[in-house]
Amino acid sequence: MLRVRVIPCLDVRAGRVVKGVRFRNLRDSGSPPELASEYERQGADELILLDITATAERRGTALATVQAVRRVLSIPLTVGGGIASVADAEALLDAGADRISVNTAAVERPELITELAGRFGRQCTVIAIDAVSDGSGSYQVVLRSGSERTALSAIEWARRATKLGAGEILLTSLDRDGTGRGYQCELLRRCAAVVNVPIIASGGANSPEHLLEVLENGADAVLAASIFHDGQYSVGDIKASLARGGVAVRPC
Amino acid sequence: MSNKEVVIVPTGVANLASVKMGLGRAGAEPRLAHDAEDVARAPAVVLPGVGAFAAGMHALRRHGYAEALQTRIDAGRPTLAICLGLQLLCEGSEESEADASDTAPGGLGLVPGWTERFPDSVRSPQFGWNHIEADGGCRHLRSGFAYFANSYRLTEPPPGASVAMAENGGAFVAAFERGALLACQFHPELSGAYGLDLLKAWLGEVGC
């Protein structure tokens, strides 16, 4: 039986993990490879690395970071952040990524999804969707880390991206991201009802109960960052808690 | 040739960084095959693969690797197939049938059976760790958790093989051993300590 996945996320800027990492047992806790191997040791099922470097040297630093992480990591690695072409994806895959996550560039040019799936396969192509609620029961896609709103329905985009070749959806509620109020379960439920690819829930986790709740609402995997970086819970703590709640996890 | 050398068949569609790194962690010195003769004769060969079945088969046929793989597997030379690599060994795949093209290739036909899509009752691709159950005849495979990333799978154990099975919308073949052939639907290179132990056991037998 397939286990649900617990996925720590590393937000990386200019080669350093950001988002307040406070591990006590690591001397240099902003180092992507150090954090990656620590999370694997704790029982992480996969890792996601999002490069949020905004500068022109982004591409070079992202490749170096992915190479350094791959060297120490023996679980799957999904990489996202600014990927706009097959060539961008290929360079990251050659550096050691196993899956590629696209976001803004795919909204602006949906054929990118088909190009990536055609070249590397659906199982390599992840569509990241950042959604906000409009307050009247709909969710819209937002771009560029939330700074640009669109009229595109997040649920409709999920359905379309899957048809175009995406093999997985990384679904983030920007209303919840960083708030610690828990995942946006309604968004997840509605997305899960219209696609048959796995969905990773993201945005808002602050306790093991939040992860349990969104898994009960149909998520196949849960992404979290601060909850792990803060050192408040290890991946093992979270998985033990999920197991007590009746969720089938891979034992650490 | 170094006795730690492991030759990887370039299927063209595979992302090789993780495979190379995983073999390296297990103590081997991986390199890409020079040519078909290399694939036929090398002491240890890995047939990796992610991506589309038809593209993988075209690459194997174009470079003469298909015949070379048949030669080495018939001769009982140690061969490790991973993910799409396992599926390419079979007679064919529902995936290439779905291409609806007259030129859609069959598989290598070195293992009986066709691979089929997961049923609609489960989400596909299958991403994640699944528990696998190895039968008593396996020399290298152990029961445990391994990482999968696949939309198609073999449901019938190949005759005469020792198998490890897993469950996702019904039972499927997670891996099998037949003589010197070890074929894994999962990714040993992405399966943490479980995968590392398996790669080390295989390399140990190969003499790396």
Side-chain angles (χ1 to χ4, degrees):
Chain A
M1 178 190 167
L2 195 61
R3 277 17 186 203
V4 303
R5 292 168 284 153
V6 176
I7 309 175
C9 179
L10 306 181
D11 291 283
V12 174
R13 183 186 292 140
R16 309 288 298 169
V17 177
V18 294
K19 257 200 184 177
V21 178
R22 290 198 289 274
F23 271 152
R24 280 161 301 231
N25 53 343
L26 292 178
R27 209 180 306 150
D28 180 2
S29 56
S31 149
E34 279 190 51
L35 270 172
S37 46
E38 171 64 14
Y39 286 137
E40 177 176 340
R41 195 191 61 74
Q42 290 181 9
D45 295 308
E46 288 174 16
L47 279 191
I48 292 182
L49 192 156
L50 294 178
D51 187 69
I52 56 172
T53 311
T55 59
E57 61 272 20
R58 183 184 62 73
R59 190 160 167 180
T61 60
L63 292 178
T65 302
V66 170
Q67 277 164 352
V69 169
R70 179 78 280 160
R71 220 167 281 134
V72 299
L73 193 72
S74 56
I75 57 173
L77 176 66
T78 297
V79 176
I83 296 157
S85 69
V86 166
D88 289 348
E90 187 159 32
L92 289 163
L93 291 167
D94 284 346
D98 299 297
R99 298 211 277 279
I100 292 298
S101 165
V102 289
N103 188 333
T104 299
V107 172
E108 292 174 344
R109 203 173 63 81
E111 315 87 86
L112 175 62
I113 298 172
T114 310
E115 291 167 11
L116 292 171
R119 177 74 178 84
F120 308 113
R122 284 172 77 224
Q123 79 296 325
C124 196
T125 308
V126 181
I127 181 73
I129 301 177
D130 295 340
V132 294
S133 165
D134 68 358
S136 62
S138 292
Y139 296 90
Q140 270 87 43
V141 173
V142 290
L143 302 179
R144 297 178 224 289
S145 311
S147 64
E148 184 182 327
R149 294 202 158 226
T150 74
L152 184 62
S153 152
I155 307 301
E156 186 47 39
W157 176 230
R159 190 206 317 259
R160 181 157 170 237
T162 308
K163 285 218 169 75
L164 288 170
E168 185 168 48
I169 296 172
L170 169 54
L171 186 61
T172 301
S173 163
L174 278 198
D175 299 319
R176 299 297 178 92
D177 198 36
T179 65
R181 287 164 51 220
Y183 296 96
Q184 173 45 274
C185 291
E186 194 210 10
L187 170 67
L188 194 289
R189 210 164 48 238
R190 286 175 53 182
C191 188
V194 301
V195 301
N196 195 40
V197 301
I199 306 175
I200 305 169
S202 159
N206 192 34
S207 75
E209 291 70 31
H210 289 151
L211 280 79
L212 188 59
E213 185 188 18
V214 80
L215 289 166
E216 285 167 348
N217 277 276
D220 302 278
V222 279
L223 175 148
S226 331
I227 190 172
F228 298 130
H229 298 342
D230 287 350
Q232 191 185 355
Y233 299 97
S234 71
V235 179
D237 295 338
I238 293 283
K239 290 175 91 170
S241 177
L242 292 176
R244 282 194 299 275
V247 173
V249 292
R250 176 178 65 111
C252 298
Chain B
M1 180 168 173
S2 153
N3 65 351
K4 292 189 166 188
E5 204 163 76
V6 171
V7 166
I8 298 176
V9 184
T11 42
V13 291
N15 159 33
L16 298 177
S18 295
V19 173
K20 282 185 182 165
M21 211 59 84
L23 287 165
R25 270 193 295 269
E29 289 168 10
R31 66 163 174 85
L32 292 184
H34 301 310
D35 53 27
E37 185 63 13
D38 201 15
V39 170
R41 305 283 161 206
V45 160
V46 175
L47 176 63
V50 295
F53 185 93
M57 270 316 297
H58 282 307
L60 292 184
R61 294 209 197 284
R62 191 165 57 242
H63 301 291
Y65 297 145
E67 296 77 10
L69 283 163
Q70 169 134 35
T71 300
R72 74 169 295 111
I73 288 171
D74 286 350
R77 299 193 181 102
T79 307
L80 168 62
I82 298 174
C83 196
L84 180 66
L86 177 153
Q87 302 188 11
L88 294 172
L89 296 173
C90 299
E91 292 171 78
S93 171
E94 193 186 355
E95 183 182 0
S96 57
E97 273 191 327
D99 288 348
S101 139
D102 290 333
T103 58
L108 292 168
L110 300 174
V111 172
W114 284 67
T115 52
E116 295 166 337
R117 187 182 290 280
F118 281 104
D120 290 340
S121 57
V122 295
R123 290 185 184 271
S124 174
Q126 165 179 241
F127 281 134
W129 298 78
N130 206 326
H131 188 259
I132 73 177
E133 199 71 50
D135 75 29
C138 295
R139 287 172 299 136
H140 301 309
L141 293 162
R142 299 279 173 268
S143 297
F145 285 94
Y147 191 92
F148 293 83
N150 59 308
S151 301
Y152 296 80
R153 82 282 188 252
L154 190 63
T155 53
E156 289 298 318
S162 301
V163 294
M165 300 294 287
E167 181 76 28
N168 188 26
F172 71 95
V173 177
F176 66 88
E177 300 175 10
R178 195 186 71 188
L181 173 64
L182 169 61
C184 302
Q185 181 57 68
F186 59 83
H187 288 271
E189 77 280 14
L190 299 177
S191 292
Y194 176 89
L196 183 63
D197 288 348
L198 177 63
L199 290 174
K200 281 182 174 165
W202 181 71
L203 291 166
E205 185 186 67
V206 167
C208 284

